[in-house]
Amino acid sequence: QSVLTQPPSVSGAPGQRVTISCTGGSSNVKAEFAVHWYLQRPGTAPKLLIYGNNNRPSGVPDRISASKSGTSASLVITGLQADDEADYYCQAFDSGLSGWVFGGGTKLTV
Amino acid sequence: QVQLQESGPGLVKPSETLSLTCTVSRASISSYYWSWIRQPPGKGLEWIGYMSHNGNTNYNPSLNSRVTISDGMSNNQFSLRLSSMTAADTAVYFCARLGCYDVLTGYPTCFDQWGQGTLVTVSS
């Protein structure tokens, strides 16, 4: 049971837009700490996709964005491409745990 | 580009202690926070613990009594020890660097560089 809750799967057709939600609580997502998002392809390590609620590392296209409101955060991917198929994880610091927590992951099918 | 590489046994017997090492290239261990994360087959990610640049540590309470993270035997390495291994500890183990420092607290908040991971199976 993950501390942060994500839908197990989402899907969309090429060119469409999808949203992946991440719900937490007052000690993590709602707190002043940022939410980050990772992409993981099969057999590889997670890769930082969005940091600090809505900042993209170099190389991540601007059709990928994120937001946070209250105890929820969302990752939005527009103009879906076949290459977007992967697992996506949200992550935040948890003040109750004094450590870092992840969502259970969402499998995106294009 | 920072590089991290995990090394250690791929098979551990039940009740034994797992020892893994992470070798870091192009970054100094003494300048960042470092962490271990694991992922059971087909499941999500679980933070195990971290070691700060000055050697302070903190662990996931669910593993606290069994885990130790420390400096490695060689320069620019850090290690993970997890005792009393069971089948539930079978997972891919990743080492990672903590980054995305919070401007107010000065603490890192994300995992910005990852090793490729190493599969550890617990079986007799």
Side-chain angles (χ1 to χ4, degrees):
Chain A
Q1 190 85 4
S2 300
V3 175
L4 306 181
T5 301
Q6 297 180 236
S9 64
V10 297
S11 63
Q16 285 190 334
R17 163 190 168 125
V18 294
T19 300
I20 298 173
S21 62
C22 173
T23 302
S26 58
S27 63
N28 42 66
V29 176
K30 187 177 181 180
E32 63 275 20
F33 303 113
V35 174
H36 314 287
W37 292 88
Y38 301 83
L39 171 155
Q40 185 180 34
R41 295 193 170 90
T44 68
K47 169 189 165 185
L48 184 63
L49 188 67
I50 293 281
Y51 66 95
N53 298 325
N54 192 22
N55 297 290
R56 288 180 298 276
S58 174
V60 176
D62 60 7
R63 61 186 183 82
I64 297 175
S65 63
S67 62
K68 186 178 86 166
S69 178
T71 57
S72 292
S74 296
L75 178 73
V76 176
I77 305 175
T78 60
L80 271 178
Q81 301 176 1
D83 190 51
D84 294 328
E85 275 209 351
D87 293 327
Y88 293 81
Y89 292 89
C90 60
Q91 173 257 309
F93 182 82
D94 188 290
S95 58
L97 187 66
S98 292
W100 291 268
V101 292
F102 291 91
T106 298
K107 181 176 181 60
L108 169 60
T109 301
V110 180
Chain B
Q1 179 84 358
V2 176
Q3 291 185 331
L4 297 89
Q5 178 69 57
E6 304 87 351
S7 58
L11 181 64
V12 176
K13 289 183 168 55
S15 81
E16 290 188 341
T17 295
L18 170 68
S19 292
L20 294 177
T21 297
C22 182
T23 301
V24 179
S25 305
R26 301 185 191 134
S28 172
I29 288 286
S30 60
S31 299
Y32 294 93
Y33 286 57
W34 307 91
S35 195
W36 288 94
I37 296 155
R38 69 181 183 178
Q39 184 173 35
K43 296 188 178 180
L45 300 163
E46 179 183 32
W47 170 70
I48 296 171
Y50 83 84
M51 181 184 76
S52 72
H53 52 81
N54 58 6
N56 292 334
T57 56
N58 192 31
Y59 307 123
N60 190 320
S62 69
L63 300 168
N64 192 32
S65 62
R66 298 195 292 133
V67 65
T68 303
I69 297 174
S70 60
D71 283 345
M73 297 295 288
S74 302
N75 282 343
N76 251 30
Q77 291 181 332
F78 65 102
S79 65
L80 168 71
R81 286 175 58 85
L82 186 62
S83 63
S84 304
M85 294 283 282
T86 71
D89 296 311
T90 293
V92 175
Y93 286 75
F94 297 99
C95 58
R97 187 182 76 173
L98 282 151
C100 310
Y101 286 79
D102 183 86
V103 294
L104 294 178
T105 66
Y107 286 105
T109 63
C110 80
F111 304 95
D112 63 355
Q113 299 291 339
W114 296 66
Q116 65 184 28
T118 186
L119 175 62
V120 176
T121 301
V122 182
S123 175
S124 56

mmCIF file with all atom_site columns, all heavy atoms in Angstrom, chain A residues 7-35:
data_model
loop_
_atom_site.group_PDB
_atom_site.id
_atom_site.type_symbol
_atom_site.label_atom_id
_atom_site.label_alt_id
_atom_site.label_comp_id
_atom_site.label_asym_id
_atom_site.label_entity_id
_atom_site.label_seq_id
_atom_site.pdbx_PDB_ins_code
_atom_site.Cartn_x
_atom_site.Cartn_y
_atom_site.Cartn_z
_atom_site.occupancy
_atom_site.B_iso_or_equiv
_atom_site.pdbx_formal_charge
_atom_site.auth_seq_id
_atom_site.auth_comp_id
_atom_site.auth_asym_id
_atom_site.auth_atom_id
_atom_site.pdbx_PDB_model_num
ATOM 1   N N   . PRO A 1 7  ? -3.861 6.215  -9.994  1.00 0.00 ? 7  PRO A N   1
ATOM 2   C CA  . PRO A 1 7  ? -4.641 5.185  -10.702 1.00 0.00 ? 7  PRO A CA  1
ATOM 3   C C   . PRO A 1 7  ? -3.675 4.153  -11.273 1.00 0.00 ? 7  PRO A C   1
ATOM 4   O O   . PRO A 1 7  ? -2.586 4.510  -11.733 1.00 0.00 ? 7  PRO A O   1
ATOM 5   C CB  . PRO A 1 7  ? -5.332 5.973  -11.819 1.00 0.00 ? 7  PRO A CB  1
ATOM 6   C CG  . PRO A 1 7  ? -4.483 7.188  -12.019 1.00 0.00 ? 7  PRO A CG  1
ATOM 7   C CD  . PRO A 1 7  ? -3.911 7.515  -10.686 1.00 0.00 ? 7  PRO A CD  1
ATOM 8   N N   . PRO A 1 8  ? -4.047 2.868  -11.245 1.00 0.00 ? 8  PRO A N   1
ATOM 9   C CA  . PRO A 1 8  ? -3.130 1.836  -11.761 1.00 0.00 ? 8  PRO A CA  1
ATOM 10  C C   . PRO A 1 8  ? -2.825 1.999  -13.239 1.00 0.00 ? 8  PRO A C   1
ATOM 11  O O   . PRO A 1 8  ? -1.715 1.668  -13.670 1.00 0.00 ? 8  PRO A O   1
ATOM 12  C CB  . PRO A 1 8  ? -3.896 0.531  -11.509 1.00 0.00 ? 8  PRO A CB  1
ATOM 13  C CG  . PRO A 1 8  ? -4.880 0.861  -10.450 1.00 0.00 ? 8  PRO A CG  1
ATOM 14  C CD  . PRO A 1 8  ? -5.261 2.299  -10.649 1.00 0.00 ? 8  PRO A CD  1
ATOM 15  N N   . SER A 1 9  ? -3.781 2.493  -13.997 1.00 0.00 ? 9  SER A N   1
ATOM 16  C CA  . SER A 1 9  ? -3.566 2.610  -15.431 1.00 0.00 ? 9  SER A CA  1
ATOM 17  C C   . SER A 1 9  ? -4.387 3.743  -16.024 1.00 0.00 ? 9  SER A C   1
ATOM 18  O O   . SER A 1 9  ? -5.433 4.113  -15.491 1.00 0.00 ? 9  SER A O   1
ATOM 19  C CB  . SER A 1 9  ? -3.926 1.292  -16.133 1.00 0.00 ? 9  SER A CB  1
ATOM 20  O OG  . SER A 1 9  ? -5.304 1.022  -15.981 1.00 0.00 ? 9  SER A OG  1
ATOM 21  N N   . VAL A 1 10 ? -3.864 4.302  -17.096 1.00 0.00 ? 10 VAL A N   1
ATOM 22  C CA  . VAL A 1 10 ? -4.586 5.264  -17.922 1.00 0.00 ? 10 VAL A CA  1
ATOM 23  C C   . VAL A 1 10 ? -4.236 4.943  -19.370 1.00 0.00 ? 10 VAL A C   1
ATOM 24  O O   . VAL A 1 10 ? -3.223 4.300  -19.648 1.00 0.00 ? 10 VAL A O   1
ATOM 25  C CB  . VAL A 1 10 ? -4.235 6.735  -17.615 1.00 0.00 ? 10 VAL A CB  1
ATOM 26  C CG1 . VAL A 1 10 ? -4.614 7.104  -16.194 1.00 0.00 ? 10 VAL A CG1 1
ATOM 27  C CG2 . VAL A 1 10 ? -2.763 7.007  -17.875 1.00 0.00 ? 10 VAL A CG2 1
ATOM 28  N N   . SER A 1 11 ? -5.071 5.406  -20.281 1.00 0.00 ? 11 SER A N   1
ATOM 29  C CA  . SER A 1 11 ? -4.778 5.170  -21.691 1.00 0.00 ? 11 SER A CA  1
ATOM 30  C C   . SER A 1 11 ? -5.282 6.327  -22.529 1.00 0.00 ? 11 SER A C   1
ATOM 31  O O   . SER A 1 11 ? -6.158 7.096  -22.103 1.00 0.00 ? 11 SER A O   1
ATOM 32  C CB  . SER A 1 11 ? -5.403 3.854  -22.159 1.00 0.00 ? 11 SER A CB  1
ATOM 33  O OG  . SER A 1 11 ? -6.815 3.925  -22.066 1.00 0.00 ? 11 SER A OG  1
ATOM 34  N N   . GLY A 1 12 ? -4.725 6.457  -23.707 1.00 0.00 ? 12 GLY A N   1
ATOM 35  C CA  . GLY A 1 12 ? -5.150 7.489  -24.631 1.00 0.00 ? 12 GLY A CA  1
ATOM 36  C C   . GLY A 1 12 ? -4.645 7.180  -26.025 1.00 0.00 ? 12 GLY A C   1
ATOM 37  O O   . GLY A 1 12 ? -3.656 6.446  -26.182 1.00 0.00 ? 12 GLY A O   1
ATOM 38  N N   . ALA A 1 13 ? -5.304 7.737  -27.003 1.00 0.00 ? 13 ALA A N   1
ATOM 39  C CA  . ALA A 1 13 ? -4.895 7.538  -28.392 1.00 0.00 ? 13 ALA A CA  1
ATOM 40  C C   . ALA A 1 13 ? -3.778 8.511  -28.752 1.00 0.00 ? 13 ALA A C   1
ATOM 41  O O   . ALA A 1 13 ? -3.614 9.556  -28.104 1.00 0.00 ? 13 ALA A O   1
ATOM 42  C CB  . ALA A 1 13 ? -6.098 7.749  -29.314 1.00 0.00 ? 13 ALA A CB  1
ATOM 43  N N   . PRO A 1 14 ? -2.986 8.177  -29.755 1.00 0.00 ? 14 PRO A N   1
ATOM 44  C CA  . PRO A 1 14 ? -1.953 9.117  -30.192 1.00 0.00 ? 14 PRO A CA  1
ATOM 45  C C   . PRO A 1 14 ? -2.537 10.486 -30.475 1.00 0.00 ? 14 PRO A C   1
ATOM 46  O O   . PRO A 1 14 ? -3.605 10.614 -31.083 1.00 0.00 ? 14 PRO A O   1
ATOM 47  C CB  . PRO A 1 14 ? -1.415 8.467  -31.475 1.00 0.00 ? 14 PRO A CB  1
ATOM 48  C CG  . PRO A 1 14 ? -1.659 7.013  -31.278 1.00 0.00 ? 14 PRO A CG  1
ATOM 49  C CD  . PRO A 1 14 ? -2.972 6.929  -30.531 1.00 0.00 ? 14 PRO A CD  1
ATOM 50  N N   . GLY A 1 15 ? -1.839 11.518 -29.990 1.00 0.00 ? 15 GLY A N   1
ATOM 51  C CA  . GLY A 1 15 ? -2.280 12.888 -30.187 1.00 0.00 ? 15 GLY A CA  1
ATOM 52  C C   . GLY A 1 15 ? -3.193 13.406 -29.093 1.00 0.00 ? 15 GLY A C   1
ATOM 53  O O   . GLY A 1 15 ? -3.377 14.629 -28.981 1.00 0.00 ? 15 GLY A O   1
ATOM 54  N N   . GLN A 1 16 ? -3.745 12.514 -28.289 1.00 0.00 ? 16 GLN A N   1
ATOM 55  C CA  . GLN A 1 16 ? -4.675 12.939 -27.236 1.00 0.00 ? 16 GLN A CA  1
ATOM 56  C C   . GLN A 1 16 ? -3.924 13.413 -25.993 1.00 0.00 ? 16 GLN A C   1
ATOM 57  O O   . GLN A 1 16 ? -2.705 13.376 -25.914 1.00 0.00 ? 16 GLN A O   1
ATOM 58  C CB  . GLN A 1 16 ? -5.630 11.798 -26.891 1.00 0.00 ? 16 GLN A CB  1
ATOM 59  C CG  . GLN A 1 16 ? -6.714 11.555 -27.916 1.00 0.00 ? 16 GLN A CG  1
ATOM 60  C CD  . GLN A 1 16 ? -7.772 10.587 -27.422 1.00 0.00 ? 16 GLN A CD  1
ATOM 61  O OE1 . GLN A 1 16 ? -7.502 9.732  -26.558 1.00 0.00 ? 16 GLN A OE1 1
ATOM 62  N NE2 . GLN A 1 16 ? -8.986 10.697 -27.964 1.00 0.00 ? 16 GLN A NE2 1
ATOM 63  N N   . ARG A 1 17 ? -4.719 13.820 -25.002 1.00 0.00 ? 17 ARG A N   1
ATOM 64  C CA  . ARG A 1 17 ? -4.189 14.297 -23.727 1.00 0.00 ? 17 ARG A CA  1
ATOM 65  C C   . ARG A 1 17 ? -4.617 13.348 -22.619 1.00 0.00 ? 17 ARG A C   1
ATOM 66  O O   . ARG A 1 17 ? -5.758 12.877 -22.614 1.00 0.00 ? 17 ARG A O   1
ATOM 67  C CB  . ARG A 1 17 ? -4.759 15.704 -23.474 1.00 0.00 ? 17 ARG A CB  1
ATOM 68  C CG  . ARG A 1 17 ? -4.671 16.208 -22.054 1.00 0.00 ? 17 ARG A CG  1
ATOM 69  C CD  . ARG A 1 17 ? -5.490 17.470 -21.915 1.00 0.00 ? 17 ARG A CD  1
ATOM 70  N NE  . ARG A 1 17 ? -5.656 17.836 -20.506 1.00 0.00 ? 17 ARG A NE  1
ATOM 71  C CZ  . ARG A 1 17 ? -5.331 19.011 -19.997 1.00 0.00 ? 17 ARG A CZ  1
ATOM 72  N NH1 . ARG A 1 17 ? -4.803 19.929 -20.766 1.00 0.00 ? 17 ARG A NH1 1
ATOM 73  N NH2 . ARG A 1 17 ? -5.516 19.277 -18.720 1.00 0.00 ? 17 ARG A NH2 1
ATOM 74  N N   . VAL A 1 18 ? -3.701 13.065 -21.693 1.00 0.00 ? 18 VAL A N   1
ATOM 75  C CA  . VAL A 1 18 ? -4.048 12.254 -20.536 1.00 0.00 ? 18 VAL A CA  1
ATOM 76  C C   . VAL A 1 18 ? -3.582 12.954 -19.267 1.00 0.00 ? 18 VAL A C   1
ATOM 77  O O   . VAL A 1 18 ? -2.624 13.738 -19.291 1.00 0.00 ? 18 VAL A O   1
ATOM 78  C CB  . VAL A 1 18 ? -3.423 10.838 -20.584 1.00 0.00 ? 18 VAL A CB  1
ATOM 79  C CG1 . VAL A 1 18 ? -3.998 10.023 -21.733 1.00 0.00 ? 18 VAL A CG1 1
ATOM 80  C CG2 . VAL A 1 18 ? -1.917 10.905 -20.632 1.00 0.00 ? 18 VAL A CG2 1
ATOM 81  N N   . THR A 1 19 ? -4.285 12.652 -18.192 1.00 0.00 ? 19 THR A N   1
ATOM 82  C CA  . THR A 1 19 ? -3.931 13.196 -16.885 1.00 0.00 ? 19 THR A CA  1
ATOM 83  C C   . THR A 1 19 ? -3.753 12.051 -15.900 1.00 0.00 ? 19 THR A C   1
ATOM 84  O O   . THR A 1 19 ? -4.580 11.142 -15.849 1.00 0.00 ? 19 THR A O   1
ATOM 85  C CB  . THR A 1 19 ? -5.018 14.144 -16.365 1.00 0.00 ? 19 THR A CB  1
ATOM 86  O OG1 . THR A 1 19 ? -5.163 15.222 -17.285 1.00 0.00 ? 19 THR A OG1 1
ATOM 87  C CG2 . THR A 1 19 ? -4.641 14.697 -14.996 1.00 0.00 ? 19 THR A CG2 1
ATOM 88  N N   . ILE A 1 20 ? -2.672 12.092 -15.138 1.00 0.00 ? 20 ILE A N   1
ATOM 89  C CA  . ILE A 1 20 ? -2.416 11.097 -14.103 1.00 0.00 ? 20 ILE A CA  1
ATOM 90  C C   . ILE A 1 20 ? -2.467 11.815 -12.757 1.00 0.00 ? 20 ILE A C   1
ATOM 91  O O   . ILE A 1 20 ? -1.734 12.775 -12.546 1.00 0.00 ? 20 ILE A O   1
ATOM 92  C CB  . ILE A 1 20 ? -1.047 10.419 -14.298 1.00 0.00 ? 20 ILE A CB  1
ATOM 93  C CG1 . ILE A 1 20 ? -1.017 9.678  -15.637 1.00 0.00 ? 20 ILE A CG1 1
ATOM 94  C CG2 . ILE A 1 20 ? -0.764 9.453  -13.151 1.00 0.00 ? 20 ILE A CG2 1
ATOM 95  C CD1 . ILE A 1 20 ? 0.346  9.120  -16.000 1.00 0.00 ? 20 ILE A CD1 1
ATOM 96  N N   . SER A 1 21 ? -3.328 11.351 -11.888 1.00 0.00 ? 21 SER A N   1
ATOM 97  C CA  . SER A 1 21 ? -3.493 11.998 -10.590 1.00 0.00 ? 21 SER A CA  1
ATOM 98  C C   . SER A 1 21 ? -2.626 11.332 -9.522  1.00 0.00 ? 21 SER A C   1
ATOM 99  O O   . SER A 1 21 ? -2.229 10.171 -9.640  1.00 0.00 ? 21 SER A O   1
ATOM 100 C CB  . SER A 1 21 ? -4.956 11.943 -10.161 1.00 0.00 ? 21 SER A CB  1
ATOM 101 O OG  . SER A 1 21 ? -5.367 10.584 -10.016 1.00 0.00 ? 21 SER A OG  1
ATOM 102 N N   . CYS A 1 22 ? -2.364 12.097 -8.472  1.00 0.00 ? 22 CYS A N   1
ATOM 103 C CA  . CYS A 1 22 ? -1.559 11.632 -7.342  1.00 0.00 ? 22 CYS A CA  1
ATOM 104 C C   . CYS A 1 22 ? -2.148 12.276 -6.090  1.00 0.00 ? 22 CYS A C   1
ATOM 105 O O   . CYS A 1 22 ? -2.101 13.496 -5.954  1.00 0.00 ? 22 CYS A O   1
ATOM 106 C CB  . CYS A 1 22 ? -0.110 12.033 -7.551  1.00 0.00 ? 22 CYS A CB  1
ATOM 107 S SG  . CYS A 1 22 ? 0.986  11.717 -6.146  1.00 0.00 ? 22 CYS A SG  1
ATOM 108 N N   . THR A 1 23 ? -2.705 11.463 -5.220  1.00 0.00 ? 23 THR A N   1
ATOM 109 C CA  . THR A 1 23 ? -3.367 11.994 -4.027  1.00 0.00 ? 23 THR A CA  1
ATOM 110 C C   . THR A 1 23 ? -2.597 11.586 -2.777  1.00 0.00 ? 23 THR A C   1
ATOM 111 O O   . THR A 1 23 ? -2.268 10.421 -2.593  1.00 0.00 ? 23 THR A O   1
ATOM 112 C CB  . THR A 1 23 ? -4.810 11.480 -3.942  1.00 0.00 ? 23 THR A CB  1
ATOM 113 O OG1 . THR A 1 23 ? -5.505 11.856 -5.132  1.00 0.00 ? 23 THR A OG1 1
ATOM 114 C CG2 . THR A 1 23 ? -5.519 12.061 -2.730  1.00 0.00 ? 23 THR A CG2 1
ATOM 115 N N   . GLY A 1 24 ? -2.353 12.584 -1.926  1.00 0.00 ? 24 GLY A N   1
ATOM 116 C CA  . GLY A 1 24 ? -1.627 12.312 -0.693  1.00 0.00 ? 24 GLY A CA  1
ATOM 117 C C   . GLY A 1 24 ? -2.369 12.852 0.513   1.00 0.00 ? 24 GLY A C   1
ATOM 118 O O   . GLY A 1 24 ? -3.591 12.783 0.582   1.00 0.00 ? 24 GLY A O   1
ATOM 119 N N   . GLY A 1 25 ? -1.610 13.406 1.450   1.00 0.00 ? 25 GLY A N   1
ATOM 120 C CA  . GLY A 1 25 ? -2.202 13.930 2.666   1.00 0.00 ? 25 GLY A CA  1
ATOM 121 C C   . GLY A 1 25 ? -1.464 15.157 3.164   1.00 0.00 ? 25 GLY A C   1
ATOM 122 O O   . GLY A 1 25 ? -0.583 15.681 2.492   1.00 0.00 ? 25 GLY A O   1
ATOM 123 N N   . SER A 1 26 ? -1.814 15.600 4.360   1.00 0.00 ? 26 SER A N   1
ATOM 124 C CA  . SER A 1 26 ? -1.282 16.856 4.882   1.00 0.00 ? 26 SER A CA  1
ATOM 125 C C   . SER A 1 26 ? 0.207  16.787 5.203   1.00 0.00 ? 26 SER A C   1
ATOM 126 O O   . SER A 1 26 ? 0.866  17.817 5.331   1.00 0.00 ? 26 SER A O   1
ATOM 127 C CB  . SER A 1 26 ? -2.043 17.270 6.138   1.00 0.00 ? 26 SER A CB  1
ATOM 128 O OG  . SER A 1 26 ? -1.937 16.245 7.112   1.00 0.00 ? 26 SER A OG  1
ATOM 129 N N   . SER A 1 27 ? 0.745  15.582 5.345   1.00 0.00 ? 27 SER A N   1
ATOM 130 C CA  . SER A 1 27 ? 2.171  15.464 5.679   1.00 0.00 ? 27 SER A CA  1
ATOM 131 C C   . SER A 1 27 ? 3.055  15.328 4.450   1.00 0.00 ? 27 SER A C   1
ATOM 132 O O   . SER A 1 27 ? 4.283  15.309 4.566   1.00 0.00 ? 27 SER A O   1
ATOM 133 C CB  . SER A 1 27 ? 2.407  14.258 6.588   1.00 0.00 ? 27 SER A CB  1
ATOM 134 O OG  . SER A 1 27 ? 2.052  13.053 5.910   1.00 0.00 ? 27 SER A OG  1
ATOM 135 N N   . ASN A 1 28 ? 2.454  15.278 3.272   1.00 0.00 ? 28 ASN A N   1
ATOM 136 C CA  . ASN A 1 28 ? 3.281  15.126 2.073   1.00 0.00 ? 28 ASN A CA  1
ATOM 137 C C   . ASN A 1 28 ? 2.814  16.066 0.961   1.00 0.00 ? 28 ASN A C   1
ATOM 138 O O   . ASN A 1 28 ? 3.358  17.142 0.793   1.00 0.00 ? 28 ASN A O   1
ATOM 139 C CB  . ASN A 1 28 ? 3.358  13.673 1.616   1.00 0.00 ? 28 ASN A CB  1
ATOM 140 C CG  . ASN A 1 28 ? 2.026  12.945 1.691   1.00 0.00 ? 28 ASN A CG  1
ATOM 141 O OD1 . ASN A 1 28 ? 1.092  13.273 0.984   1.00 0.00 ? 28 ASN A OD1 1
ATOM 142 N ND2 . ASN A 1 28 ? 1.938  11.956 2.586   1.00 0.00 ? 28 ASN A ND2 1
ATOM 143 N N   . VAL A 1 29 ? 1.804  15.703 0.200   1.00 0.00 ? 29 VAL A N   1
ATOM 144 C CA  . VAL A 1 29 ? 1.433  16.500 -0.967  1.00 0.00 ? 29 VAL A CA  1
ATOM 145 C C   . VAL A 1 29 ? 0.926  17.882 -0.562  1.00 0.00 ? 29 VAL A C   1
ATOM 146 O O   . VAL A 1 29 ? 1.228  18.872 -1.210  1.00 0.00 ? 29 VAL A O   1
ATOM 147 C CB  . VAL A 1 29 ? 0.393  15.762 -1.818  1.00 0.00 ? 29 VAL A CB  1
ATOM 148 C CG1 . VAL A 1 29 ? -0.066 16.629 -2.988  1.00 0.00 ? 29 VAL A CG1 1
ATOM 149 C CG2 . VAL A 1 29 ? 0.966  14.451 -2.341  1.00 0.00 ? 29 VAL A CG2 1
ATOM 150 N N   . LYS A 1 30 ? 0.168  17.997 0.503   1.00 0.00 ? 30 LYS A N   1
ATOM 151 C CA  . LYS A 1 30 ? -0.396 19.292 0.883   1.00 0.00 ? 30 LYS A CA  1
ATOM 152 C C   . LYS A 1 30 ? 0.659  20.204 1.525   1.00 0.00 ? 30 LYS A C   1
ATOM 153 O O   . LYS A 1 30 ? 0.536  21.414 1.503   1.00 0.00 ? 30 LYS A O   1
ATOM 154 C CB  . LYS A 1 30 ? -1.566 19.120 1.853   1.00 0.00 ? 30 LYS A CB  1
ATOM 155 C CG  . LYS A 1 30 ? -2.293 20.422 2.147   1.00 0.00 ? 30 LYS A CG  1
ATOM 156 C CD  . LYS A 1 30 ? -3.493 20.209 3.043   1.00 0.00 ? 30 LYS A CD  1
ATOM 157 C CE  . LYS A 1 30 ? -4.206 21.533 3.299   1.00 0.00 ? 30 LYS A CE  1
ATOM 158 N NZ  . LYS A 1 30 ? -5.380 21.352 4.183   1.00 0.00 ? 30 LYS A NZ  1
ATOM 159 N N   . ALA A 1 31 ? 1.677  19.628 2.059   1.00 0.00 ? 31 ALA A N   1
ATOM 160 C CA  . ALA A 1 31 ? 2.692  20.405 2.754   1.00 0.00 ? 31 ALA A CA  1
ATOM 161 C C   . ALA A 1 31 ? 3.452  21.309 1.773   1.00 0.00 ? 31 ALA A C   1
ATOM 162 O O   . ALA A 1 31 ? 3.207  21.297 0.574   1.00 0.00 ? 31 ALA A O   1
ATOM 163 C CB  . ALA A 1 31 ? 3.657  19.473 3.470   1.00 0.00 ? 31 ALA A CB  1
ATOM 164 N N   . GLU A 1 32 ? 4.366  22.051 2.322   1.00 0.00 ? 32 GLU A N   1
ATOM 165 C CA  . GLU A 1 32 ? 5.146  22.958 1.499   1.00 0.00 ? 32 GLU A CA  1
ATOM 166 C C   . GLU A 1 32 ? 6.150  22.243 0.607   1.00 0.00 ? 32 GLU A C   1
ATOM 167 O O   . GLU A 1 32 ? 6.783  22.851 -0.239  1.00 0.00 ? 32 GLU A O   1
ATOM 168 C CB  . GLU A 1 32 ? 5.885  23.944 2.397   1.00 0.00 ? 32 GLU A CB  1
ATOM 169 C CG  . GLU A 1 32 ? 6.896  23.298 3.347   1.00 0.00 ? 32 GLU A CG  1
ATOM 170 C CD  . GLU A 1 32 ? 6.279  22.807 4.652   1.00 0.00 ? 32 GLU A CD  1
ATOM 171 O OE1 . GLU A 1 32 ? 5.055  22.617 4.703   1.00 0.00 ? 32 GLU A OE1 1
ATOM 172 O OE2 . GLU A 1 32 ? 7.040  22.605 5.613   1.00 0.00 ? 32 GLU A OE2 1
ATOM 173 N N   . PHE A 1 33 ? 6.257  20.926 0.750   1.00 0.00 ? 33 PHE A N   1
ATOM 174 C CA  . PHE A 1 33 ? 7.216  20.180 -0.047  1.00 0.00 ? 33 PHE A CA  1
ATOM 175 C C   . PHE A 1 33 ? 6.696  19.945 -1.464  1.00 0.00 ? 33 PHE A C   1
ATOM 176 O O   . PHE A 1 33 ? 5.518  19.748 -1.696  1.00 0.00 ? 33 PHE A O   1
ATOM 177 C CB  . PHE A 1 33 ? 7.520  18.836 0.608   1.00 0.00 ? 33 PHE A CB  1
ATOM 178 C CG  . PHE A 1 33 ? 8.046  18.972 2.017   1.00 0.00 ? 33 PHE A CG  1
ATOM 179 C CD1 . PHE A 1 33 ? 7.311  18.527 3.094   1.00 0.00 ? 33 PHE A CD1 1
ATOM 180 C CD2 . PHE A 1 33 ? 9.277  19.557 2.245   1.00 0.00 ? 33 PHE A CD2 1
ATOM 181 C CE1 . PHE A 1 33 ? 7.789  18.660 4.391   1.00 0.00 ? 33 PHE A CE1 1
ATOM 182 C CE2 . PHE A 1 33 ? 9.760  19.700 3.534   1.00 0.00 ? 33 PHE A CE2 1
ATOM 183 C CZ  . PHE A 1 33 ? 9.015  19.264 4.610   1.00 0.00 ? 33 PHE A CZ  1
ATOM 184 N N   . ALA A 1 34 ? 7.610  19.940 -2.400  1.00 0.00 ? 34 ALA A N   1
ATOM 185 C CA  . ALA A 1 34 ? 7.261  19.771 -3.808  1.00 0.00 ? 34 ALA A CA  1
ATOM 186 C C   . ALA A 1 34 ? 6.924  18.325 -4.133  1.00 0.00 ? 34 ALA A C   1
ATOM 187 O O   . ALA A 1 34 ? 7.351  17.399 -3.454  1.00 0.00 ? 34 ALA A O   1
ATOM 188 C CB  . ALA A 1 34 ? 8.415  20.227 -4.687  1.00 0.00 ? 34 ALA A CB  1
ATOM 189 N N   . VAL A 1 35 ? 6.147  18.155 -5.211  1.00 0.00 ? 35 VAL A N   1
ATOM 190 C CA  . VAL A 1 35 ? 5.855  16.834 -5.762  1.00 0.00 ? 35 VAL A CA  1
ATOM 191 C C   . VAL A 1 35 ? 6.692  16.666 -7.024  1.00 0.00 ? 35 VAL A C   1
ATOM 192 O O   . VAL A 1 35 ? 6.825  17.601 -7.829  1.00 0.00 ? 35 VAL A O   1
ATOM 193 C CB  . VAL A 1 35 ? 4.355  16.680 -6.092  1.00 0.00 ? 35 VAL A CB  1
ATOM 194 C CG1 . VAL A 1 35 ? 4.096  15.354 -6.814  1.00 0.00 ? 35 VAL A CG1 1
ATOM 195 C CG2 . VAL A 1 35 ? 3.533  16.742 -4.810  1.00 0.00 ? 35 VAL A CG2 1
#
